[in-house]
Amino acid sequence: EDKVVQSPLSLVVHEGDTVTLNCSYEVTNFRSLLWYKQEKKAPTFLFMLTSSGIEKKSGRLSSILDKKELFSILNITATQTGDSAIYLCAVAGRRQGAQKLVFGQGTRLTINP
Amino acid sequence: GAVVSQHPSRVICKSGTSVKIECRSLDFQATTMFWYRQFPKKSLMLMATSNEGSKATYEQGVEKDKFLINHASLTLSTLTVTSAHPEDSSFYICSARDSRGANYGYTFGSGTRLTVV
C-alpha cells in the first residue's frame, strides 16, 4: 500500500527560527514528490521534485529529494508569522496504469511572533 | 499559471438530497482529475481518480454508488454526493493534472465545504 509519512505532525517556533519538515514515502512507481502549503482553503503548490540531490529554492523556502532513502525535506529559514500553515507532502506514483497523488498527514507549523 | 475552478465553494443541503460539485481546468486540459476529502485537522484523503471518457477509479472504502464521478470532457469533472447524510459533511477538493506531462504538476481547486443537515 502506498504510504507518505510526514514529521513532525506539529511544530511551534518563534519568528526568525529555521525549520525543517520531513517527508518519507513508499509509493509504487514513483514519479515525483510535491510540497504544498495549506492555509484556510485549498493547498497551494510550493515545489515539485523528481531528481535526487537537486535543491529547489523559492525565497526562504527550499526542498531536496533523496530517492535512495525515499525522503524529502522542506526548509524554511527566517520564518515569519505568515508561514504558519499546514505543509503537505504528496507523492505521485503510478499503479495499474493510473497516476495518483498520495498525501502525507501534514505538518501543522505555527510561527509565534 | 494553471487554474482549477471548483464550484460551489460552500453548500448546505438536507439529508437525503444529492449535491453536485464541479471542477474545471480553466487554461489547460486535464485528462486526469482527482477528488479528495479532508476532515478537520486531517490531511487529504484520495477518494477517486477521474479519467476523461472512462470510468473513475475509486479508492478502497469509497462507495462508488454514493460518490458519482463524471469526467465528460478534458476540462470538467463532477462529483455528485447522492442521498447525502450528515456524516458526508466534509471539505471536498479536486485536483487536476495537466495533460502536457508530469513537469506541469497538479493544481487544486479551492475546495467545497459540504454541510448536510
Side-chain angles (χ1 to χ4, degrees), chain B residues 11-25:
Chain B
V11 59
I12 301 172
C13 71
K14 288 188 176 178
S15 204
T17 60
S18 294
V19 173
K20 182 187 279 189
I21 303 170
E22 289 189 351
C23 181
R24 288 181 190 274
S25 57

Side-chain angles (χ1 to χ4, degrees), chain B residues 31-35 48-52 56-57 69-71 77:
Chain B
T31 49
T32 305
M33 289 188 178
F34 304 89
W35 287 95
T49 303
S50 163
N51 297 297
E52 186 264 338
T57 304
I69 290 172
N70 184 277
H71 194 151
S77 176

Side-chain angles (χ1 to χ4, degrees), chain A residues 12-80:
Chain A
V12 181
V13 300
H14 288 293
E15 207 167 17
D17 288 351
T18 292
V19 298
T20 299
L21 310 184
N22 304 293
C23 176
S24 63
Y25 63 91
E26 293 175 30
V27 170
T28 305
N29 293 324
F30 172 90
R31 286 291 189 266
S32 58
L33 185 144
L34 301 96
W35 284 96
Y36 290 88
K37 178 182 181 181
Q38 186 177 27
E39 296 173 90
K40 295 208 173 144
K41 287 211 169 178
T44 53
F45 173 79
L46 294 175
F47 297 110
M48 181 166 75
L49 305 158
T50 55
S51 303
S52 271
I54 299 173
E55 186 183 50
K56 291 217 171 175
K57 291 196 74 156
S58 176
R60 296 176 293 104
L61 278 67
S62 64
S63 183
I64 197 161
L65 172 67
D66 185 332
K67 287 167 77 172
K68 186 179 172 189
E69 299 297 329
L70 306 183
F71 82 91
S72 172
I73 59 172
L74 174 69
N75 275 323
I76 308 175
T77 58
T79 52
Q80 302 171 359

Side-chain angles (χ1 to χ4, degrees), chain B residues 39-55:
Chain B
F39 293 99
K41 298 188 180 179
K42 298 283 184 182
S43 189
L44 281 72
M45 181 192 79
L46 180 64
M47 297 173 66
T49 303
S50 163
N51 297 297
E52 186 264 338
S54 64
K55 287 185 181 178

Side-chain angles (χ1 to χ4, degrees), chain B residues 92-112:
Chain B
Y92 293 87
I93 307 179
C94 70
S95 164
R97 179 172 172 263
D98 195 316
S99 61
R100 287 173 289 179
N103 289 335
Y104 291 87
Y106 299 78
T107 305
F108 283 84
S110 52
T112 298

